Amino acid sequence: MSDMVNFWVDIYTSNRATDICHINDIFIEENSLFVSMFHLPGQFNIGGGVVEYSLKKKKVKNVLYEGISQPHSVMLYKNDLYFCNSEEFSVRKENNILFKCLGYTRGLAVQNETVLIGQSITRHINKLLEKHPNISSDCGVYLLNMNNKLSTFVPIPSLEIYGIIFI
């Protein structure tokens, strides 16, 4: 773990122009910064992850998830961590798959029992067809009711969704 912390510190204290970790999203809760990234520091071949960074101590507090396929849209809601496992076309609530669709998930909002999930068009279709039997070419937002597990898809005339918030 100390090698990872040292590498993390090196990334943010140097003037590198290279996108080493490909950070996608952050979420701040009290003294913690939750970060989703395509590559964990020093672990470029095992996929991405979600880390908790201590804002007080200015170091990685915990690696929450690793080996995640292109994570996006990390958020904490009622002490549960939610994030998009985008390349797997899913959303996770902690260790459980909360939602699975036929497209690239990115953009997430949770309020009460309602979850809004963005789906963007898929960029690397040939690569993803190796993992998925079919892929949706639609862009839009899913409205998921966690109680009854029913969802509705609302198409949006766009190519990509990056973030969603409840207003």
Side-chain angles (χ1 to χ4, degrees), residues 115-129:
V115 183
L116 302 179
I117 302 155
Q119 177 179 291
S120 296
I121 61 154
T122 305
R123 294 182 188 168
H124 306 285
I125 292 175
N126 290 337
K127 176 185 171 194
L128 291 172
L129 280 172

Side-chain angles (χ1 to χ4, degrees), residues 2-166:
S2 64
D3 289 338
M4 188 170 137
V5 172
N6 290 335
F7 187 78
W8 181 270
V9 170
D10 182 47
I11 288 171
Y12 293 99
T13 57
S14 68
N15 290 321
R16 295 179 194 222
T18 306
D19 181 6
I20 295 173
C21 294
H22 192 106
I23 292 173
N24 289 308
D25 200 9
I26 63 170
F27 184 85
I28 298 172
E29 178 77 20
E30 295 180 12
N31 294 311
S32 289
L33 174 70
F34 297 88
V35 183
S36 65
M37 59 187 75
F38 277 19
H39 303 286
L40 292 172
Q43 301 178 12
F44 300 108
N45 296 324
I46 66 164
V50 177
V51 299
E52 181 180 4
Y53 182 83
S54 171
L55 295 171
K56 279 188 173 181
K57 296 180 181 178
K58 298 186 179 180
K59 66 179 187 175
V60 174
K61 182 176 177 181
N62 195 4
V63 177
L64 301 170
Y65 299 96
E66 56 187 345
I68 306 299
S69 301
Q70 300 184 2
H72 286 88
S73 309
V74 63
M75 67 173 296
L76 199 62
Y77 182 74
K78 293 187 178 179
N79 296 318
D80 290 319
L81 189 72
Y82 294 79
F83 60 92
C84 293
N85 193 8
S86 301
E87 193 176 61
E88 297 298 324
F89 301 169
S90 66
V91 172
R92 288 187 33 187
K93 176 182 176 184
E94 302 285 338
N95 288 314
N96 301 311
I97 295 175
L98 177 68
F99 180 81
K100 187 135 175 77
C101 63
L102 297 175
Y104 198 83
T105 54
R106 182 171 50 198
L108 181 65
V110 181
Q111 186 175 62
N112 301 321
E113 295 303 316
T114 302
V115 183
L116 302 179
I117 302 155
Q119 177 179 291
S120 296
I121 61 154
T122 305
R123 294 182 188 168
H124 306 285
I125 292 175
N126 290 337
K127 176 185 171 194
L128 291 172
L129 280 172
E130 294 172 11
K131 297 173 98 174
H132 302 281
N134 61 316
I135 296 174
S136 171
S137 60
D138 298 318
C139 179
V141 175
Y142 290 92
L143 290 79
L144 171 69
N145 181 311
M146 286 192 286
N147 283 332
N148 61 22
K149 299 183 181 180
L150 294 176
S151 66
T152 300
F153 183 76
V154 179
I156 294 179
S158 183
L159 299 177
E160 299 181 83
I161 295 174
Y162 291 94
I164 301 172
I165 58 170
F166 279 99

